Amino acid sequence: MSSGATATGSSSGRPQASTSPFARLTQQLRGSPLVALLIVGAAVIAVVIALLLWAGGSTYRVLFSNLSEADGGQIIAELDSQQVPYKFSQGGQALMVPADRVHTLRLQLAAQGLPQGGNVGLELMENQAFGISQFAEQVNYQRGLEGELSRSMESLGPVADARVHLALAKDSVFVRQREPAKASVVLTLHPGRSLGEGQVDSIVHLVASSVPDLNAEAVTVVDQAGSLLSTPDGGALGLDGTQLDYVAEVERAYQRRIETILAPILGHQNVKAQVTAQLDFSKREETSERYGPNQPPNEAAVRSRQTSLALNGTGDLAEGIPGALSNTPPGTAASPIADPGQGEAEEGADEAPAEGAAAEQRLNRDDVVNYEVDRQVSHVQHRRGQVERLSAAVVVDYRETLDEESGERVPAPLDDEEMAQIERLVRQAMGFSAARGDQVAVVNSPFTRDDDAPAEPAWWQQPELQQLAFTLGRYLLVGIAILLLYLLILRPFIRRYTEQPLPAPAAPAPGFQARVGGDDDDRDVGEDGEPGEPGEAEDGEAAPPRRRKRRATAYEQNLNDLREMAQEDPRMVSMIVRGWMSKNDG
C-alpha cells in the first residue's frame, strides 16, 4: 500500500542517532524530564542568589595599610577569630574589611594595641636592660621620640603614614663645636588629599617644640612624591600660610559687609564689591622719653635743697644751759637816783663796745635748690596684623524702570543722590578713615547677563541622591533579571514537563481518511478509518506535548465541523465517500 511504502521510505531515510557522549546525555535527559527540570531550577536559583549577593553585598574599605608582617599576622588572626571577612588590595599593602565595620574594628584592635606599627614610642624605655650603655640608651630615646612624633602626625586626617629622622644636638664646652638639632619628616598622604601651608607649619612647629635645641628653620618636610612642603627661612616674602589666609579673610569680611548692607536696596545680583587690605605683620616696640619745661600754673617740684650759713665776729652768741632759765628775759635795771652821772657814764661804756663789735661781724648764707625736670616716658608695643590701608571697589547695576512710550521695563542709571547715598553706606560699612589713606570707588554700570553661565546643579545631581539611585538601580536590575529568567526559561520549561496531553478522540468510521489542521497542525486519518495516535508525527517520532495538545484540539474542531456539514448537506458527504471508495477500488 502507498501508506506503507511511505512509512518504509521515511524509516529508511531517518538519520542514525549520534553516539557522542553529549548526544547520549541529551537522550537520557529527554527520557527523564524531571532531571532536566531539576538542573534548570538549580541553575536559576544559583543565578538569583548570585544577583542578590551582588546587589546586597557590602563594599570594602581599607582598615590598615602599609602594615608590617608581624602586625599583619596578628590583625588577621584577630579577624579570623571574630569571623570577619577581609581581602587584600594594592598588591597586598592594604587590608580591606566591610565598610560598616571599619570604625568598630579599628577601636577593637586599638584596645589590644594593634597595630603596633614600625613606629616604636617611648614605651621602648620601659624595658631597659640592666647595665645598658649610655650610647644604647641614647639610641633608644631617639627611636622612642621619633616614634611618638610619627604617631602624632599620623593622627592628622590627610596623613596616612609618617617617618621622622632626628639629629639631636651635641653639647660641647666649646661654643664653636656645638651642633644644633635638625629634623627631617617624610609624609605619605592619602590619595587625593593635600596639606595646606598652615598645616605644614603646624607640623614644623610640632617637631621643633618637641625636640630640645631645635629651631623651626631646621625642620624639613617632604611628601611621598619628594616634593618639599616646608619653606626654608620662612619664605622669600617672610609670610606664612596663616598670614595670607588672614589677609584673605579680612578682605572677605569687608566685602560681605558692603554687599550685605547694599543687597536689601539694590538686590543680591545687582551689586559686586571687592576689597583690598594692606596689613602690617611686623612686630615693633617703641620706648620714648621726652623732657619739657615746667609750665605754669603747675609749680615745679623740688628735688633737693642745700643751705650753708657762716657767721664771723665778736658779738654775743647764745650761751647758757638750754632750758627755761636761758629763755627767761633779763630783769629790770635799777634806777640811777643816787648818782645820775654815774648811770650815764655806765650807759656810754656799754654802748661803745657794741658799735665796734657790730663793725667786726660778718654773715654768709648759701642756698642750693634742685628742681625736677618735666619728663615723659612711653613704651608702645604695636599689635601685629593691623590694617594699614583699605581700598574698596563697588559696581552697581542699572535699575529697571518702566518706559512710558513703549511700556516695557528698560535699564536706567541711578541718579547722583542715590550714588552719593550708596557711597556713604560703603564708607560706613568699611570703616573709612581718611587719615589711614583709604579709598572708595563706586561705579554705576549695566551688568552683562551671561546666558551661557553654568547653572546650579539640580537636586538629582547631588552625590547622596546619586548613590541612593545607584543602589536602587542595582536592586531593580536584579529584579528584572529574575523576572526574565522566570518568563523565558523557567516557566516554559515547567509547562513543557508538567502539562498532561489530552485524551485521544474517538475513532471515525472505517475507510474515512481526512487531513485536518493547518500547515503546522496536520493529522492524517488512515485508510481503515482510525486516526493516528496523538502526538505521533509522520516519521513515527513522538511530537512535543504542546504540539500534541494543539493537534488534538484541531482534530476535534475539524471533526465537529464535518459532522455539522454531514447533517446540513448529506448528499455532498455521500458523494465524497463514493469518490474515496472508487479511488480505493482502482
Side-chain angles (χ1 to χ4, degrees), residues 61-205:
R61 289 184 56 187
V62 177
L63 179 64
F64 295 109
S65 60
N66 297 327
L67 292 172
S68 61
E69 295 181 356
D71 290 340
Q74 296 179 7
I75 292 175
I76 290 176
E78 183 65 24
L79 294 179
D80 291 336
S81 63
Q82 298 183 12
Q83 297 181 356
V84 177
Y86 61 88
K87 63 181 181 179
F88 295 95
S89 65
Q90 300 178 6
Q93 297 295 325
L95 180 62
M96 304 182 68
V97 295
D100 55 346
R101 303 194 61 179
V102 170
H103 301 289
T104 304
L105 291 174
R106 285 180 179 176
L107 294 176
Q108 293 177 354
L109 295 175
Q112 301 179 9
L114 295 174
Q116 297 179 356
N119 300 325
V120 182
L122 291 177
E123 65 271 6
L124 185 63
M125 306 295 295
E126 298 177 357
N127 300 321
Q128 293 284 349
F130 180 76
I132 188 174
S133 63
Q134 184 179 1
F135 175 77
E137 184 178 1
Q138 184 68 19
V139 170
N140 291 337
Y141 171 73
Q142 182 174 347
R143 289 182 57 195
L145 186 58
E146 291 175 352
E148 293 293 337
L149 290 174
S150 300
R151 291 177 180 177
S152 301
M153 296 177 192
E154 290 175 357
S155 62
L156 301 178
V159 180
D161 187 25
R163 295 193 64 184
V164 181
H165 304 279
L166 297 178
L168 300 179
K170 295 183 180 180
D171 297 332
S172 176
V173 294
F174 302 100
V175 178
R176 294 182 179 179
Q177 295 182 359
R178 292 180 180 176
E179 296 182 4
K182 297 181 181 180
S184 300
V185 180
V186 181
L187 300 178
T188 301
L189 306 180
H190 289 291
R193 304 293 296 274
S194 61
L195 291 175
E197 294 184 4
Q199 294 173 313
V200 175
D201 293 339
S202 64
I203 293 176
V204 170
H205 289 288

Side-chain angles (χ1 to χ4, degrees), residues 330-351:
T332 305
S335 175
I337 299 175
D339 191 357
Q342 183 179 359
E344 295 177 358
E346 292 178 358
E347 184 179 357
D350 293 338
E351 294 177 357

Side-chain angles (χ1 to χ4, degrees), residues 438-468:
D438 296 348
Q439 293 182 357
V440 176
V442 181
V443 179
N444 185 209
S445 176
F447 286 4
T448 301
R449 305 299 180 182
D450 190 4
D451 298 336
D452 297 335
E456 296 182 357
W459 60 270
W460 51 269
Q461 293 180 350
Q462 298 181 3
E464 295 81 4
L465 296 179
Q466 291 180 353
Q467 182 66 25
L468 179 60

Side-chain angles (χ1 to χ4, degrees), residues 246-364:
Y246 178 71
V247 173
E249 180 61 30
V250 170
E251 293 177 350
R252 285 194 298 267
Y254 282 107
Q255 178 183 349
R256 286 194 297 267
R257 289 181 184 178
I258 296 173
E259 293 181 351
T260 301
I261 198 172
L262 295 180
I265 303 175
L266 304 174
H268 292 280
Q269 302 297 330
N270 298 328
V271 58
K272 299 295 181 182
Q274 289 293 333
V275 178
T276 302
Q278 295 181 3
L279 305 182
D280 184 14
F281 291 100
S282 60
K283 185 177 181 181
R284 295 181 299 171
E285 294 182 3
E286 294 182 0
T287 302
S288 60
E289 183 175 357
R290 296 184 301 173
Y291 296 90
N294 296 317
Q295 302 294 334
N298 297 333
E299 297 181 356
V302 178
R303 182 176 184 180
S304 63
R305 173 177 290 179
Q306 182 178 0
T307 303
S308 177
L309 180 62
L311 179 62
N312 296 327
T314 57
D316 296 335
L317 300 176
E319 297 177 353
I321 301 173
L325 296 177
S326 299
N327 295 328
T328 303
T332 305
S335 175
I337 299 175
D339 191 357
Q342 183 179 359
E344 295 177 358
E346 292 178 358
E347 184 179 357
D350 293 338
E351 294 177 357
E355 294 178 359
E360 295 178 358
Q361 287 181 354
R362 189 170 54 188
L363 177 63
N364 295 327

Side-chain angles (χ1 to χ4, degrees), residues 29-30 32-34 36-37 492-499:
L29 292 178
R30 289 180 179 178
S32 57
L34 183 59
L37 181 61
F493 206 86
I494 293 175
R495 286 184 175 180
R496 181 177 181 181
Y497 290 98
T498 56
E499 291 182 352

